[in-house]
Amino acid sequence: ELRETKQELAQFHKQLIAVESQKFLAAAEIINGVKVICRKLEKITRDQLRAYVDELRGKGGSVALLLAAVIDDKVALIAAVT
């Protein structure tokens, strides 16, 4: 039962990341044909931060992004360009 709940939670996070990523892409500033995204994310894990990057790189076309979060009282930054 706990295992099923964890799987459901993981699936929910995956769906949330997909929806939020679409919002980020829609609001992105476009510079020389490249979507630029800079965001601070709240209450996420390192794995979820990486999942955001994967989702944005996969669906964003030409995109430059910088995502930031505070995880375990430490600043986490991740940057990517496609």
Side-chain angles (χ1 to χ4, degrees):
E1 192 173 304
L2 180 60
R3 184 179 186 197
E4 291 175 12
T5 303
K6 285 183 180 181
Q7 288 175 344
E8 289 175 6
L9 184 60
Q11 184 65 26
F12 172 75
H13 282 295
K14 186 176 180 180
Q15 291 172 350
L16 179 64
I17 288 168
V19 169
E20 288 292 314
S21 294
Q22 288 300 322
K23 290 179 185 177
F24 293 169
L25 289 168
E29 183 176 349
I30 299 175
I31 300 173
N32 293 330
V34 177
K35 295 174 187 166
V36 178
I37 300 169
C38 296
R39 296 283 182 181
K40 178 184 176 194
L41 304 173
E42 302 287 337
K43 299 179 184 177
I44 65 168
T45 65
R46 291 184 193 286
D47 289 337
Q48 291 168 342
L49 190 61
R50 286 186 207 102
Y52 269 99
V53 171
D54 292 341
E55 185 74 21
L56 289 164
R57 288 174 70 192
K59 297 199 175 158
S62 294
V63 64
L65 59 102
L66 176 64
L67 302 178
V70 176
I71 302 171
D72 298 327
D73 294 325
K74 296 178 184 173
V75 174
L77 296 172
I78 190 164
V81 177
T82 60

